[in-house]
C-alpha cells in the first residue's frame, strides 16, 4: 500500500485537491453523523469515488469511535487510513498499527514536547506516518523543528471538542504568521471547519496541500456526491 503522504501527493498531481473524509460517528457540536455499521460500506464508496485516503476517529466518549471501528474499515479498503484519537504513548501507536492504521494523529495541543518527540520518532521507526497537528504558530514552529513531513493545521481548538466555531481563516492566518517552510516533500493538511468548496479554495490558496473534512460531508444529502464536489477544486 502507498503511504498516506504519497497517496495525497499523487492525488494532488492530478490537479485536484485531495479531500480526506473524516469518519466520525458523533460530532460533539452537531450530534450523530453515522453509525459504525454503515461506515464500512461508506468507506468502500469513497474509495471507489477516488479518495486518496480517509481518517477514522476512534475516541469513544465524545466521538463515538472504537478500535473495532478502525479495524473494520482498514480491512475493507486498500487506501491509507489515519487513526484520529488523543494519542500520547508509544503503546497507542502499536495498537494503531495492529488495527491497520497507515498514519496516526499526534496533536501538539495534548502532548508535551518530550511526549511528541518520543511518539514521533517511534512512529517513524515502526513504519507508520505521524501527522503532527498544530493550532498555533508556536506549535507550527515545533512541528517544523521536528522536520515533520506530514503536518496539519486544525482550524478549531480540539480541546473545546469542535464547539468553538473555527473557520478556515485559521489556516490562512497560520500560514501567514507561522513561517511555514514550503518543502516540496512536506504535505500540509487543513483540518476541520471546512464547509464548502469556497472554504477548500481558501485553504488551498493559503498553502494547504489537502483538506480533512468530516461534518460537512456527513450532513450532506449525498455524502459521496458532496465529496466529489469538494475534491473538484483545482490545486
Amino acid at each position: 500500500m502507498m503511504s498516506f503522504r504519497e497517496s495525497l501527493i499523487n492525488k494532488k498531481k492530478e490537479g485536484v485537491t485531495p479531500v480526506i473524509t473524516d469518519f466520525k460517528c458523533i460530532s460533539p457540536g452537531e450530534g450523530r453523523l453515522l453509525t459504525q455499521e454503515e461506515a464500512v460500506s461508506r468507506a468502500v464508496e469513497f474509495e471507489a469515488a477516488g479518495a486518496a485516503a480517509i481518517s477514522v476517529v476512534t475516541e469513544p466518549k465524545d466521538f463515538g469511535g472504537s478500535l473495532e471501528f478502525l479495524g473494520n474499515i482498514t480491512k475493507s479498503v486498500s487506501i491509507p487510513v489515519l487513526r484520529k484519537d488523543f494519542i500520547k504513548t508509544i503503546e497507542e501507536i502499536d495498537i494503531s498499527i495492529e488495527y491497520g492504521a497507515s498514519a496516526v494523529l499526534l496533536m501538539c495541543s495534548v502532548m508535551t514536547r518530550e511526549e511528541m518527540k518520543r511518539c514521533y520518532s517511534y512512529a517513524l521507526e515502526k513504519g507508520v506516518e505521524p501527522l503532527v497537528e498544530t493550532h498555533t504558530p508556536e506549535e507550527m514552529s515545533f512541528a517544523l523543528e521536528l522536520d515533520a513531513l506530514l503536518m496539519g493545521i486544525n482550524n478549531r481548538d480540539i480541546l473545546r471538542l469542535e464547539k468553538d466555531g473555527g473557520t478556515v481563516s485559521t489556516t490562512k492566518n497560520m500560514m501567514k504568521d507561522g513561517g511555514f517552510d514550503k518543502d516540496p516533500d512536506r504535505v500540509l493538511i487543513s483540518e476541520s471547519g471546512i464547509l464548502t468548496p469556497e472554504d477548500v479554495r481558501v485553504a488551498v490558496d493559503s498553502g494547504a496541500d489537502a483538506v480533512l473534512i468530516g461534518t460537512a460531508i456527513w450532513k450532506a444529502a449525498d455524502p459521496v456526491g458532496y465529496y466529489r464536489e469538494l475534491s473538484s477544486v483545482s490545486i
Side-chain angles (χ1 to χ4, degrees), residues 184-223:
D185 292 326
R186 182 170 287 125
V187 170
L188 177 76
I189 302 169
S190 181
E191 309 170 43
S192 195
I194 299 171
L195 304 177
T196 65
E198 290 74 23
D199 290 339
V200 175
R201 170 53 58 200
V202 171
V204 168
D205 288 349
S206 298
D209 301 291
V211 293
L212 186 147
I213 305 173
T215 301
I217 288 175
W218 297 119
K219 291 190 66 122
D222 176 6

Side-chain angles (χ1 to χ4, degrees), residues 128-190:
V128 62
E129 288 185 285
L131 168 56
V132 179
E133 181 183 283
T134 68
H135 182 65
T136 66
E138 294 75 22
E139 291 174 353
M140 177 180 277
S141 295
F142 178 48
L144 292 171
E145 285 177 30
L146 289 173
D147 197 25
L149 293 182
L150 194 57
M151 286 176 53
I153 294 176
N154 196 324
N155 295 308
R156 289 182 169 135
D157 180 355
I158 189 60
L159 299 179
R160 295 184 63 184
L161 298 175
E162 300 186 351
K163 296 178 181 179
D164 62 335
T167 70
V168 74
S169 63
T170 302
T171 293
K172 183 176 182 180
N173 294 334
M174 284 269 289
M175 291 298 288
K176 182 175 63 177
D177 300 333
F180 185 74
D181 175 17
K182 200 58 176 161
D183 184 323
D185 292 326
R186 182 170 287 125
V187 170
L188 177 76
I189 302 169
S190 181

Side-chain angles (χ1 to χ4, degrees), residues 79-143:
I79 53 177
V81 177
L82 166 73
R83 179 192 176 190
K84 283 187 70 185
D85 209 325
F86 296 90
I87 294 171
K88 298 173 70 173
T89 69
I90 61 174
E91 289 78 15
E92 290 169 315
I93 293 173
D94 285 333
I95 291 170
S96 304
I97 296 169
E98 179 184 343
Y99 281 84
S102 302
V104 291
L105 183 68
L106 302 180
M107 294 181 279
C108 290
S109 59
V110 302
M111 305 173 77
T112 67
R113 286 188 166 226
E114 288 309 310
E115 286 172 335
M116 175 64 80
K117 288 177 181 178
R118 185 182 311 115
C119 287
Y120 180 81
S121 298
Y122 186 77
L124 292 178
E125 177 187 325
K126 299 297 285 187
V128 62
E129 288 185 285
L131 168 56
V132 179
E133 181 183 283
T134 68
H135 182 65
T136 66
E138 294 75 22
E139 291 174 353
M140 177 180 277
S141 295
F142 178 48

